[in-house]
Amino acid sequence: MTWETLLHYKWGVMAPEFIILGVATALSLIDLFMPNDQNRRPLGWFAVAGVVVAIISLTGLLSVGTTSILYDTFRLDAFGKAFKLLLLTGAALVLLLAMDYQPKEGVKYQGEFYYLFLTALLGAMMMTSSGDLITLFVGLELLSISSYILAGLRKAHHLSNESAMKYVINGGISTAITLFGMSYVFGLTGSTNLKKIAMQLSTLQDSGHQYMLALAFLLMLVGLSFKLASVPFHMWAPDVYQGAPTPVTAFLSVVSKTAGFVIVLRLFISIFAAALSQGKEPSSMLLSMQDYIAFLAGATMMIGNTVALKQRNVKRLFAYSSIAHAGYLLVGFAAMSWVMVDSMWFYLAAYLLMNLGAFAILQTVTDQTGSEDISQFAGLYRRNPLLAIMMGLFVLSLAGIPGTAGFIGKVHIFLGAFATEPAHYVLAAIMIATTVVSYVYYFGLFTQIFFRPAAHHEPLRVPLGVTIVVTVCALGTFVFGVMPGLLYHFLDQFQHFSDFLR
């Protein structure tokens, strides 16, 4: 009977996950039996090929309607498919960066990087399709534990060891807080299934229970804010970004952050939108909590952009930039407009392109100069004009200058703040003001590249993997900035993008 039940499931909807799992397992076995002195670069191409096959299998599932298997613990819907595409695309680009990563002490654990990275990706993908608190948490921990190890992969580098330790401590605390909040939800509803929880909470009338549910919301918001690196739970990010290997930093800033917003949307909108808040005019608990989310968004934008002004280390600068961008995304979440999910997906897609492109160039410069100081970018235009122009494009997009994907993403988030009643004028004003502040440090980097004498005079060599990443990211940043309709037309292929709300 059990065997017949297993065969009855539509396992094809998990094809991308099975592919990533199979490739990660194969890589771990191959790496185990390879001679220690053999180059691990072919393993990187194998990992990239696996991710590309997973993308192809995912595109084959686009026409498949919403499907739930394993008692609704795994749910393939338009939301999951759209965000998996972002995760897989970002993963392929990060893997290309990792193959060309050459720190001055050399790369000792390159083989381990590839399969640990794929297990982290698998955890993120599981989160996008989870229909249950247990699978959500398992996916979150699979992503987190792999990330802790990846952050400390440069064992001979004391900053990498320090970053891994801080990441583990902060991550452990955030996990405990998140799980504590989930336990309240389970205690109030007696279920871990998201749809059943939503049905139970929609009938919750007792004021004491509603206060407990509000406490659960705040605990989960605090715990997940660590993952997003939003203020005041951001202090781990600059140290981890600086100490981790550059490909890992790129992964944390793009893929891990996307996964963080995935679990926030899955949890809070699926669960708390159905719950009623206590008050004279009962409304959705999620709407009653808007002020808390708005405070996080405003503080994150202000502190992230302000502290970035004093940074000389480029990776720390991008860490605070990443914190600020988390604030911009939280504006979309706080507004809770009808275009919230679409605008956040577009922003994450634009952020993936412009940030990974910038990290690819950052890796090339730091590997060949041995320093992460901003002065190493001085005169980049004379050492490699094309690379400098590309970096200029990414910086302009991060700053939100018109004609780039970053500008379109910010405009859609900004307009979403006015698409609700009442409109979020204060958040929109903070977003404009902090964006202007960000021009100072973004254009400081821009000035170094184009208007300062060269720190080094030898031509800058660009490896193949970095060339592919920079080219793809630059094309995407420019094309989606000039013709954003192309990306939205693609998004229209995901019918009922927000059907996870149902």
Side-chain angles (χ1 to χ4, degrees):
M1 185 65 181
T2 304
W3 180 250
E4 291 177 359
T5 304
L6 287 173
L7 291 177
H8 177 71
Y9 290 131
K10 298 178 181 178
W11 294 107
V13 298
M14 292 185 71
E17 285 80 5
F18 283 133
I19 291 169
I20 297 299
L21 176 61
V23 174
T25 304
L27 283 174
S28 63
L29 293 174
I30 294 170
D31 180 62
L32 179 64
F33 291 105
M34 281 181 73
N36 292 333
D37 58 348
Q38 190 167 343
N39 190 357
R40 260 56 176 178
R41 187 179 175 86
L43 298 184
W45 287 112
F46 184 35
V48 172
V51 173
V52 171
V53 173
I55 293 173
I56 294 170
S57 70
L58 180 63
T59 56
L61 295 172
L62 295 184
S63 59
V64 177
T66 300
T67 307
S68 296
I69 62 173
L70 301 173
Y71 299 100
D72 206 27
T73 57
F74 185 91
R75 180 179 171 85
L76 182 72
D77 51 17
F79 175 87
K81 286 181 275 191
F83 279 97
K84 278 180 197 175
L85 192 63
L86 285 186
L87 294 171
L88 287 167
T89 303
L93 296 174
V94 172
L95 283 168
L96 289 170
L97 286 187
M99 285 190 289
D100 291 326
Y101 179 57
Q102 293 294 332
K104 61 182 181 180
E105 77 271 13
V107 181
K108 186 176 180 182
Y109 300 102
Q110 191 172 24
E112 287 83 352
F113 172 88
Y114 298 129
Y115 57 79
L116 284 170
F117 177 84
L118 290 180
T119 56
L121 172 64
L122 179 62
M125 292 172 67
M126 289 299 297
M127 286 159 57
T128 63
S129 288
S130 292
D132 194 277
L133 288 179
I134 294 174
T135 49
L136 265 174
F137 184 74
V138 169
L140 177 63
E141 284 308 287
L142 185 58
L143 168 66
S144 300
I145 293 171
S146 300
S147 301
Y148 302 153
I149 303 170
L150 289 171
L153 215 54
R154 296 173 66 183
K155 291 183 68 175
H157 192 243
H158 75 277
L159 285 178
S160 183
N161 295 328
E162 180 184 342
S163 71
M165 178 61 72
K166 290 180 178 178
Y167 199 14
V168 168
I169 293 171
N170 282 280
I173 294 170
S174 67
T175 296
I177 295 172
T178 304
L179 198 57
F180 191 32
M182 288 182 177
S183 69
Y184 274 111
V185 174
F186 173 73
L188 289 168
T189 61
S191 175
T192 58
N193 184 273
L194 297 184
K195 291 177 70 174
K196 290 181 180 178
I197 289 172
M199 291 175 61
Q200 290 284 339
L201 294 182
S202 64
T203 61
L204 195 67
Q205 300 292 336
D206 184 87
S207 60
H209 288 172
Q210 288 179 338
Y211 284 124
M212 289 178 66
L213 188 63
L215 177 61
F217 177 92
L218 292 175
L219 286 169
M220 291 162 68
L221 180 63
V222 167
L224 295 174
S225 291
F226 278 96
K227 305 296 182 186
L228 304 178
S230 63
V231 173
F233 315 106
H234 67 290
M235 295 307 294
W236 62 270
D239 293 331
V240 174
Y241 277 45
Q242 181 183 0
T246 305
V248 177
T249 305
F251 162 75
L252 293 175
S253 70
V254 175
V255 179
S256 184
K257 189 175 292 290
T258 300
F261 278 101
V262 163
I263 193 172
V264 164
L265 291 172
R266 275 281 185 197
L267 272 180
F268 292 127
I269 298 181
S270 296
I271 294 176
F272 294 100
L276 296 177
S277 64
Q278 187 77 6
K280 295 180 180 179
E281 296 181 3
S283 63
S284 168
M285 178 168 288
L286 188 60
L287 294 176
S288 70
M289 294 291 182
Q290 278 181 305
D291 291 343
Y292 297 98
I293 303 170
F295 172 80
L296 282 182
T300 303
M301 289 187 289
M302 288 189 289
I303 293 177
N305 282 306
T306 304
V307 181
L309 296 173
K310 302 295 279 184
Q311 302 304 312
R312 293 288 303 176
N313 184 286
V314 183
K315 287 172 76 174
R316 290 186 74 88
L317 186 149
F318 273 94
Y320 283 105
S321 166
S322 179
I323 291 167
H325 284 280
Y328 301 143
L329 283 159
L330 283 171
V331 171
F333 184 50
M336 295 180 194
S337 66
W338 60 275
V339 294
M340 174 183 66
V341 180
D342 302 67
S343 60
M344 290 178 70
W345 186 90
F346 186 99
Y347 195 97
L348 285 166
Y351 184 69
L352 182 152
L353 293 168
M354 58 194 180
N355 214 44
L356 281 184
F359 268 108
I361 298 173
L362 186 156
Q363 175 179 297
T364 302
V365 173
T366 55
D367 280 359
Q368 296 184 30
T369 61
S371 172
E372 296 170 355
D373 192 84
I374 194 172
S375 62
Q376 300 303 318
F377 283 84
L380 181 61
Y381 181 72
R382 292 173 177 80
R383 300 180 63 195
N384 193 317
L386 186 59
L387 205 64
I389 291 170
M390 299 283 196
M391 187 65 177
L393 174 64
F394 299 136
V395 169
L396 292 176
S397 185
L398 286 164
I401 300 300
T404 63
F407 170 75
I408 302 297
K410 281 186 179 177
V411 166
H412 290 161
I413 294 287
F414 179 78
L415 293 177
F418 295 100
T420 56
E421 186 63 39
H424 293 261
Y425 295 110
V426 175
L427 265 185
I430 293 173
M431 187 173 180
I432 292 175
T434 52
T435 298
V436 173
V437 170
S438 73
Y439 292 167
V440 177
Y441 60 86
Y442 283 132
F443 287 123
L445 185 57
F446 197 85
T447 302
Q448 291 285 341
I449 294 170
F450 291 99
F451 303 109
R452 292 288 182 268
H456 303 274
H457 297 285
E458 66 275 9
L460 198 65
R461 303 182 309 277
V462 185
L464 175 61
V466 171
T467 302
I468 296 172
V469 173
V470 171
T471 303
V472 169
C473 291
L475 283 174
T477 300
F478 177 74
V479 170
F480 296 139
V482 176
M483 295 181 287
L486 290 176
L487 198 54
Y488 272 109
H489 176 70
F490 173 76
L491 195 59
D492 289 339
Q493 306 305 311
F494 299 94
Q495 296 297 322
H496 306 299
F497 186 38
S498 300
D499 62 359
F500 72 102
L501 301 176
R502 298 179 177 81

